Amino acid sequence: MGVVPARTADTAVGASTGRPYVLLSCATSIDGYIDDATEQRLLLSNAEDMDRIDAVRAGCDAILVGAGTIRADDPRLVVRSARLRAARQAAGLPPSPVKVTLTARGLLDPTARFFTVGDADKIVYCATAAVDKTTALLAGLATVVDAGDPLDPARALADLAGRGVGRLMVEGGASVHAQFLTAGLADELHLVVAPFFVGDRRAPRFVGDGAFPWHPGRRARIAEVRQIGDVVLVRYALSERCADGRP
Ligand SMILES: NC(=O)c1ccc[n+]([C@@H]2O[C@H](COP(=O)([O-])OP(=O)(O)OC[C@H]3O[C@@H](n4cnc5c(N)ncnc54)[C@H](OP(=O)(O)O)[C@@H]3O)[C@@H](O)[C@H]2O)c1
């Protein structure tokens, strides 16, 4: 992996082709909610599953979340396990994957943990209209990339491939997952179901309305089902690139 080390304003998205292997990761309640309607982050996974997610992160070159998730959850998005960080370093990789986000409006808090925790490079794909403002806001903290107007996730993926990202984990939120799924930009989905209901329509669901490539006439393939303590992981293969049995 030769991911961009720059921490300054960047040029427009290049003409690179192809995209990384894209793995979507999400935890829901039994009734399909990914959060509740309160300000606090809802814990859906359990400790054992968090360790699994940590290992999946450690196996990726970059982790992407939408700007909405940074605002709502203030995630760290770093590899927590010292053993896994050391293993990455022994392989010549940075301790944690590159952090990536998408924003149209550039409403990002420079003190958010996305920007302040860990030494990983941070890349912000930004719609053209907000690039100047966002570059100034995040000076010294992130590489801000002009990703067009409207911002096309496929272009961002091509740019990531050009920066050496071969495997990308997309950790939400609802809007980002829906876009990647409807655009056919996902190779694999890790869906964890927590053993409770949220039962509040004000809360966000996994995805909203959309024309998804998997529907009653085209059912997705299950690559794996695993019980992890009191949650269940279903790994859906969404492209031919997803091999059965791979963790
Ligand atoms: N249970 C789970 O596994 C899980 C995981 C992650 C998040 N969540 C939950 O998901 C919720 C957040 O989801 P969300 O849908 O509100 O937010 P989101 O998908 O994280 O981010 C949406 C924001 O990202 C930017 N964005 C996304 N696609 C874009 C595009 N194509 N072009 C330009 N900008 C784009 C926009 O930012 P700007 O508004 O800045 O323009 C948009 O408002 C929270 O409740 C969080 O707790 C749950």
Side-chain angles (χ1 to χ4, degrees):
M1 185 179 69
V3 171
V4 62
R7 289 172 180 272
T8 56
D10 206 358
T11 53
V13 167
S16 47
T17 55
R19 65 166 174 81
Y21 186 92
V22 175
L23 181 163
L24 307 189
S25 174
C26 187
T28 75
S29 61
I30 292 173
D31 48 348
Y33 289 100
I34 59 169
D35 197 359
D36 60 20
T38 71
E39 292 288 304
Q40 279 74 46
R41 183 180 191 168
L42 177 67
L43 189 62
L44 289 144
S45 296
N46 56 34
E48 195 182 341
D49 188 50
M50 295 300 284
D51 288 343
R52 177 195 63 83
I53 292 169
D54 206 37
V56 175
R57 278 184 187 161
C60 290
D61 300 312
I63 304 172
L64 184 151
V65 296
T69 295
I70 296 176
R71 291 190 287 264
D73 295 349
D74 195 16
R76 293 179 179 82
L77 301 178
V78 293
V79 174
R80 295 178 312 161
S81 157
R83 179 182 59 79
L84 292 172
R85 288 197 306 270
R88 282 180 57 93
Q89 287 182 286
L93 300 172
S96 286
V98 173
K99 302 187 201 182
V100 182
T101 192
L102 309 177
T103 181
R105 298 176 294 165
L107 294 179
L108 291 163
D109 179 354
T111 68
R113 292 189 286 205
F114 180 95
F115 299 108
T116 59
V117 174
D119 294 327
D121 291 322
K122 292 98 186 170
I123 302 175
V124 177
Y125 289 100
C126 185
T128 303
V131 164
D132 289 347
K133 177 185 82 171
T134 309
T135 300
L137 181 72
L138 300 175
L141 293 173
T143 301
V144 177
V145 179
D146 183 342
D149 225 343
L151 188 159
D152 177 2
R155 281 183 67 184
L157 289 183
D159 186 71
L160 284 173
R163 293 170 190 268
V165 172
R167 191 173 173 89
L168 173 71
M169 182 174 185
V170 177
E171 295 207 41
S175 156
V176 164
H177 275 152
Q179 290 179 66
F180 276 72
L181 287 165
T182 55
L185 296 174
D187 297 295
E188 180 172 343
L189 167 64
H190 292 191
L191 190 66
V192 164
V193 181
F196 58 82
F197 294 79
V198 169
D200 183 345
R201 69 174 60 175
R202 294 170 303 168
R205 286 188 178 274
F206 169 38
V207 288
D209 297 348
F212 294 91
W214 303 274
H215 46 71
R218 182 171 181 248
R219 298 159 76 104
R221 181 166 60 87
I222 293 176
E224 183 190 359
V225 178
R226 198 191 317 167
Q227 181 173 349
I228 303 171
D230 67 353
V231 306
V232 171
L233 164 70
V234 184
R235 212 157 55 76
Y236 291 98
L238 302 182
S239 85
E240 293 309 312
R241 293 212 274 178
C242 177
D244 289 357
R246 180 167 179 173

